[in-house]
Amino acid sequence: MKWNETLKNIKTYEAGKPIELVVREYGIEPQNIVKLASNENPYGTSPKVIEAVRQRAADMAIYPDDSMYELKEGLAKRFGVGSDNIIIGAGSDQVLEFCARAVLSPQTSVLMSKITFAMYEIYAAQMGAHVIKSSCYRHDLDEFYELFKKHDPAVIHICTPNNPTGDAIDRDYLYGFLDKVREPLVIVDGAYMEYAAYKDAKKRIEPRELVERYDNVIYLGTFSKAYGLGGMRVGYGIAKKEIIQQLSKLRPPFNITTLSLLAATKALEDSEHVERSVAANFAQMERYVNFALQRGLEFIDSYTNFITYILPQHISSKEVAQKLLEQGVIVRDLTSYGLNALRITIGTPEQNDVLFAHLKEVLDGYQE
Ligand SMILES: *Cc1c(COP(=O)(O)O)cnc(C)c1O
């Protein structure tokens, strides 16, 4: 068979390990497994969402409302934009894919931070586009601007807060950059914005402001993280109508299931659940900061629901992740990002108790 040339340059995305795999491979009971690897909301979704989905479960026989009227209305109201400023994807991942397909080709390039969400590079590679990375893992937008002038990329990715590092940029700093780049499609990925906005108002990016100010910017949000709907696959893009119209040509019909649409619509209505989850997240985050300080571990100040511990050279993050896995604790090793670091999702108080107990034990096993 003759495969597309572009496939040569694509690495398969390595997702966080699922609970089922740990059950199969290590014989650990599912209730004893603590999954802190994919930045889901450890408190789950709103009970109101679960109840609504239960009641309407039989609707799964019927094709979904392809106009996604209710969810778009809900998002439009929440963000103060029009329904025609919104596109819904099966996760914001799918919106990223629409963006890539809409503007990229082998003649184009994509600019992104040195260490950022792995899918940006994969979608670029799928289109055969050239990837340009900044030299710094933080979003140094002065360097971004230099690289923009040099390479004239078709897409610029800005992930704030950034995954897998957890740092975020100030809104004014972002606007200063966006004011200067009017041509390429700039994708502002706010997958963790609910967390950042809670911690520091200066980090809050309002999609409405982006839409009003910029013709070439799309904001991405997701229901997978703070809203607790990772298993339902719903995300959204917010941009000027012209961008949404173009991207919509690439959207497969019925890309969001009936029950996912319902779940996301209901989740949006229960903002108190999200607020409580976010507040609890930062209360628990303090424990992670204290643990790092006590053990002398380097960490990155996080605006998200995860924290990144950078390990000293003599302790391999890959090995530590494996040892934790054998104890039923799933965390994300960042070796594939070129970091000797672990990304740990902030869990419930009980999950964090388990994580700290095992992590202490594993780290104590390494001689100073
Ligand atoms: C989780 C995540 C997404 C998208 O997740 P979906 O489940 O596809 O909505 C996008 N960007 C970043 C940075 C993420 O961490």
Side-chain angles (χ1 to χ4, degrees), residues 70-287:
E70 282 189 59
L71 179 55
K72 283 189 184 170
E73 283 294 305
L75 285 166
K77 206 168 121 211
R78 157 63 52 89
F79 290 114
V81 298
S83 282
D84 51 6
N85 295 121
I86 300 170
I87 184 164
I88 313 286
S92 52
D93 252 296
Q94 194 180 33
V95 185
L96 279 169
E97 188 192 340
F98 298 154
C99 291
R101 287 170 55 207
V103 295
L104 297 181
S105 69
Q107 289 76 43
T108 62
S109 65
V110 180
L111 174 59
M112 65 188 75
S113 171
K114 179 181 175 190
I115 297 176
T116 190
F117 190 46
M119 289 311 299
Y120 303 155
E121 191 168 0
I122 293 176
Y123 290 126
Q126 286 178 2
M127 301 307 298
H130 183 61
V131 172
I132 299 151
K133 291 185 184 177
S134 66
S135 64
C136 172
Y137 80 79
R138 290 183 192 278
H139 284 71
D140 175 348
L141 297 182
D142 297 326
E143 189 190 2
F144 267 52
Y145 186 59
E146 291 308 312
L147 291 168
F148 157 75
K149 282 192 294 190
K150 189 165 165 207
H151 298 281
D152 189 23
V155 167
I156 301 178
H157 284 286
I158 298 191
C159 189
T160 185
N162 191 24
N163 177 12
T165 54
D167 60 309
I169 53 177
D170 286 359
R171 178 176 53 244
D172 292 344
Y173 184 51
L174 174 65
Y175 286 177
F177 174 71
L178 294 178
D179 286 342
K180 293 185 292 190
V181 289
R182 296 297 190 158
E183 190 54 36
L185 179 63
V186 182
I187 304 175
V188 177
D189 186 344
Y192 302 93
M193 191 54 71
E194 293 82 2
Y195 295 97
Y198 175 92
K199 178 164 168 170
D200 183 351
K202 291 195 299 296
K203 311 289 184 188
R204 177 195 289 276
I205 312 287
E206 282 289 345
R208 179 182 51 77
E209 274 185 12
L210 292 180
V211 170
E212 282 168 4
R213 295 170 70 128
Y214 307 107
D215 292 340
N216 61 323
V217 175
I218 182 165
Y219 176 90
L220 302 188
T222 179
F223 286 93
S224 300
K225 309 285 161 57
Y227 285 93
L229 290 174
M232 295 304 256
R233 314 301 307 122
V234 191
Y236 52 88
I238 301 180
K240 276 254 155 55
K241 211 165 64 184
E242 291 68 28
I243 295 181
I244 299 300
Q245 281 170 350
Q246 295 295 337
L247 298 183
S248 297
K249 296 176 186 173
L250 298 163
R251 185 180 67 81
F254 310 122
N255 59 325
I256 314 296
T257 72
T258 303
L259 295 179
S260 293
L261 285 171
L262 173 67
T265 306
K266 292 290 170 192
L268 208 50
E269 288 169 11
D270 192 356
S271 53
E272 275 172 30
H273 176 81
V274 174
E275 279 159 31
R276 273 196 304 273
S277 305
V278 172
N281 172 70
F282 284 109
Q284 290 298 307
M285 178 81 79
E286 275 186 46
R287 298 176 66 194

Side-chain angles (χ1 to χ4, degrees), residues 37-52:
S38 298
N39 307 337
E40 293 121 330
N41 181 341
Y43 305 98
T45 194
S46 157
K48 291 173 188 162
V49 171
I50 298 170
E51 188 46 38

Side-chain angles (χ1 to χ4, degrees), residues 313-333:
Q313 274 185 350
H314 69 287
I315 303 179
S316 146
S317 61
K318 192 169 180 182
E319 204 174 278
V320 173
Q322 178 59 31
K323 287 180 176 167
L324 290 173
L325 191 64
E326 289 161 16
Q327 305 293 323
V329 179
I330 318 174
V331 301
R332 192 78 143 91
D333 166 40

